Amino acid sequence: MKVLILGAGCREHIIANRLAEDSEVYAIMNVLHPGISKISKEYLVVDYSEVGRIKEWIEKREFDVGFVSPDGLLAKGLSDLLKQAGVPIASPLKQAAKLEWHKGYARDLMKKNNIEGVPKYKAVFGIEEALGFIKENKEFVIKPFGLTGGKGVKVKGEHFHSEAEGLEYIKELIDEDEGALLEEKLEGPEFSLQGFSNGRELLFMPPVQDHKRAYEQDIGPNTGGMGSYSTGKLLPFMNEKDLEDGKGIMRKVMEVMRKENNPFVGILYGNFMVTKDGIKLIEFNARFGDPEAMNVLSLLGGSLSSIFLDMCREGELKGEFSEEASLVKYVVPEGYPVKGKKGEEIEIDEKGIKELGCDIYYGSVYSENGKVYTTPSRTAAVVGKGKDLYEVEKRVEKAISFVRGNLFHRKDIGTKELVEKKVEYVKRLKRNLKGF
Ligand code: AMP
Ligand code: GLY
């Protein structure tokens, strides 16, 4: 099979690797990605806004499947472009990806169709409306409607501390954006549930927990995700019902979209919170999570290319996941996420990492004259899997010592201490006790 992939980060690196197991990979990327370029049969390095050049390159070749990976490209309608160029696609069209690129759309769709798990919310377009919501919900969260790489959401008590401070941000969003989404503030640990969708049914992947905060003990600014782990069918702080409820919500959303003639074909990603009142939907993504893709794709048995093919032709989705634990830790440039240092040379001893049974995927880096340099975003991810999460964690830490540069990572992700803290957190929430 000939498979085309768009995107150039860690997530796309593992996708391309898995595709290359039984297919020819063709890649379109905005920078020369050191990993993807190595495994691709052919690639095009291009600014994604050069739609004409992209189309011309695609039309000169024939692909069995195309996959647009990053959210920004889905929101720009690159899947639509592929479709117009005659490529069967396993990623959502722009209108279906609206589930991610417009937070109000996803909320309204759920509410209108009585799908459970929606927090109290209001889309506001003026200050009066905002004041009305805040009066009823003293603890609230402010979200831009659009994509912000996980960094635009502000939570009261964490990112702003008074109503007045919150109103400043809401005003800014009303002035500069079209408005803002306000939500009640929920409490609880989060999990990511991803499913392959052919528009009709979902093949679920194991749940994963990401760590969005930049620093250890879950403090500091939000990031794209500093690392993630999975422990088989369930995460230690969830129960069967949490998982089944999450699956139910995702299935219903997919069904509604199909009925509305806006079928969702691609990776449907639900970000859920385990609260004292059951699970709530925090947001949907229309793509693999990054880092979560590296957890699930390390565990997937069988052919990713075949799943992609079945997704775009409404075929039966077949795939199994090993029930081992998996762990991903990102190394990021000093200063990330506020002002990550760019242009810093990094050195990676891939052999040393492999010898520990771990893998390395390149993120937002570029290569020049055979050397690899940082950009302000996440640099590389080290991935391990095995029977026991805590053993894997120790191995991944050792493997990270083979990545050299002006970088940092979170040492606490996947440790017993942090995992047990989350379990304790849910117990306390369910007993109605405050605090983490
Ligand atoms: P999002 O971009 O919607 O995933 O939000 C980023 C992060 O903000 C989430 O992962 C949560 O940690 C936090 N967050 C979002 N919505 C809420 C909410 N309603 N209550 C509490 N925290 C939230
Ligand atoms: N890891 C969070 C995301 O991909 O949005």
Side-chain angles (χ1 to χ4, degrees), residues 204-224:
F204 286 101
M205 306 177 226
V208 179
Q209 183 169 47
D210 185 18
H211 296 73
K212 292 207 167 132
R213 300 308 199 85
Y215 313 131
E216 277 159 34
Q217 301 308 319
D218 288 324
I219 56 170
N222 271 329
T223 69

Side-chain angles (χ1 to χ4, degrees), residues 137-185:
N137 301 278
K138 294 275 175 224
E139 298 303 311
F140 62 102
V141 175
I142 309 165
K143 300 183 174 188
F145 288 134
L147 302 175
T148 56
K151 295 164 209 149
V153 173
K154 294 200 192 237
V155 179
K156 180 146 180 243
E158 293 178 37
H159 308 104
F160 67 95
H161 298 274
S162 66
E163 214 173 281
E165 218 184 311
L167 280 169
E168 278 297 306
Y169 186 48
I170 296 170
K171 253 191 220 141
E172 201 181 301
L173 293 176
I174 291 171
D175 291 345
E176 287 166 20
D177 212 347
E178 49 173 322
L181 187 74
L182 304 187
E183 271 177 22
E184 64 172 321
K185 177 179 167 182

